[in-house]
Amino acid sequence: MHRYTHNALRGLAALALIQGAVPAHAAGYPAKPITFIVPYTAGGTTDLVARTAGQKVAEKLGQPVIVENRPGAGGNIGMDAVAKAAPDGYVIGFGAISTNALNPFVYPKMPFDPTKDFTGISMLGASSVVLEVGPSVKVDSVKDLVAYAKANPNTSYGTPGTGTSMHLAGVMFDQLTGAGMQHVPYKGSAQALNDLLGGHLPVMFDNLPASLPHINAGKVRALAVTGSKRAPALPDVPTLAELGYSGAVVDPWFAVYGPAGMSPDVTRVLSDAFQAALAMPDVKDKLEKAGFMPYGSSPQEVERLTQSQHEAFKALSQKVKLSAD
């Protein structure tokens, strides 16, 4: 799974560079504001990406792009609203590796089928998951953390929520190392980080952009990132694979989706606009400094990655317990 994900993401990034962002035309579209549903809490990584890219898309299309946060159930609530919207291009959603590939193997009842109920529009990019400890845990390496957790049974690790890529990373790491840690799901990064900084939560798997300011300020210690490559924003922090934990590699990705049945012309207008927005130097600079790696893609690439990752998690779920706690 991991080699495919890495290669797929690299391929998408290359595709974004070589594809021309030539605007397509769909008669009369858009004629009114576009609602961009982010299925997570305001103020996080997804919010930053959605609002930064959405503003440029709005300028390109000549209509406002209204970002609407609808958090809950690991992103399922917001993406369900997208799935059930009219397929006219006026409601789109901020999907992710979790909502559109992983969640069917986490939640016993899904309100939508991620492989059938959406139209892929464009990739948004990739993030990094960081394994970090707060001031209450005096360890400086992943090896020491595993030893600490084994010496302190049921050590808690927090994530921004059940079914997120951070939850996946935590489950895979715990099962691989036999650390015996207990998952504590939060509703977004902010509350979990407050508990981490306050010494109430010892360990956290977080989206790097949310934790980066605290890592840079020295308040949180980053022990590793879970991706197949080091994060550009943390060049000195090793990957889990480098440390011998290649079975716990997780590469989170994000993409724009609309409801199933959107016309190819409208889909192409939106895709071209997002690809152009994500390639803008000021957008790339802003998001990369925040720890996010932006890139756009064709609708076909989104569809291919969604299907392949869904199949990969289906196979993984037969080996690793991914279900909601």
Side-chain angles (χ1 to χ4, degrees):
M1 175 188 76
H2 310 306
R3 188 181 297 111
Y4 175 83
T5 307
H6 180 43
N7 291 338
L9 294 176
R10 283 198 309 177
L12 291 174
L15 184 75
L17 290 174
I18 62 174
Q19 274 194 328
V22 180
H25 298 283
Y29 177 85
K32 61 181 182 180
I34 296 164
T35 298
F36 191 9
I37 294 177
V38 175
Y40 306 105
T41 52
T45 305
T46 50
D47 219 38
L48 173 68
V49 177
R51 293 179 191 280
T52 302
Q55 180 184 348
K56 299 296 186 181
V57 169
E59 292 169 5
K60 202 154 187 60
L61 298 182
Q63 289 288 349
V65 173
I66 302 165
V67 174
E68 188 176 303
N69 297 91
R70 292 200 199 178
N76 287 346
I77 291 174
M79 290 308 287
D80 185 42
V82 176
K84 290 176 170 55
D88 54 12
Y90 290 105
V91 175
I92 57 177
F94 196 115
I97 184 176
S98 51
T99 57
N100 289 76
L102 175 63
N103 280 3
F105 312 105
V106 175
Y107 293 89
K109 292 184 179 179
M110 286 288 289
F112 56 82
D113 183 336
T115 65
K116 296 177 181 176
D117 293 345
F118 297 99
T119 299
I121 293 172
S122 170
M123 294 301 297
L124 284 162
S127 186
S128 294
V129 173
V130 60
L131 167 55
E132 59 197 9
V133 293
S136 66
V137 181
K138 308 301 181 185
V139 301
D140 295 310
S141 71
V142 173
K143 183 180 178 181
D144 288 347
L145 173 63
V146 173
Y148 172 91
K150 288 181 177 179
N152 295 273
N154 299 320
T155 294
S156 298
Y157 71 90
T159 71
T162 297
T164 60
S165 53
M166 287 67 73
H167 176 206
L168 172 66
V171 167
M172 292 175 66
F173 177 79
D174 191 61
Q175 294 205 4
L176 182 71
T177 61
M181 297 193 294
Q182 296 297 309
H183 179 220
V184 180
Y186 286 79
K187 293 182 178 179
S189 293
Q191 186 185 354
L193 280 168
N194 283 340
D195 280 359
L196 190 73
L197 292 166
H200 308 298
L201 177 70
V203 184
M204 186 173 175
F205 286 84
D206 194 20
N207 244 330
L208 175 56
S211 283
L212 188 59
H214 303 294
I215 294 169
N216 288 340
K219 296 177 180 178
V220 170
R221 288 193 298 288
L223 302 182
V225 292
T226 70
S228 45
K229 294 189 297 184
R230 291 195 180 198
L234 289 179
D236 297 329
V237 175
T239 66
L240 285 177
E242 287 176 56
L243 299 175
Y245 306 102
S246 57
V249 172
V250 176
D251 280 306
W253 49 263
F254 303 87
V256 187
Y257 294 86
M262 282 176 55
S263 81
D265 287 347
V266 169
T267 302
R268 174 53 62 187
V269 169
L270 283 166
S271 183
D272 287 348
F274 272 99
Q275 289 180 63
L278 293 162
M280 291 179 177
D282 57 332
V283 171
K284 289 175 73 71
D285 184 59
K286 181 176 182 178
L287 297 182
E288 285 172 358
K289 281 181 178 175
F292 188 81
M293 293 162 277
Y295 55 84
S297 79
S298 70
Q300 292 76 19
E301 289 298 325
V302 178
E303 299 280 1
R304 280 197 285 269
L305 184 63
T306 302
Q307 295 288 340
S308 66
Q309 288 278 274
H310 182 270
E311 290 304 310
F313 287 127
K314 183 177 182 179
L316 184 67
S317 69
Q318 294 165 4
K319 304 175 186 175
V320 177
K321 181 183 178 293
L322 299 176
S323 58
D325 296 335

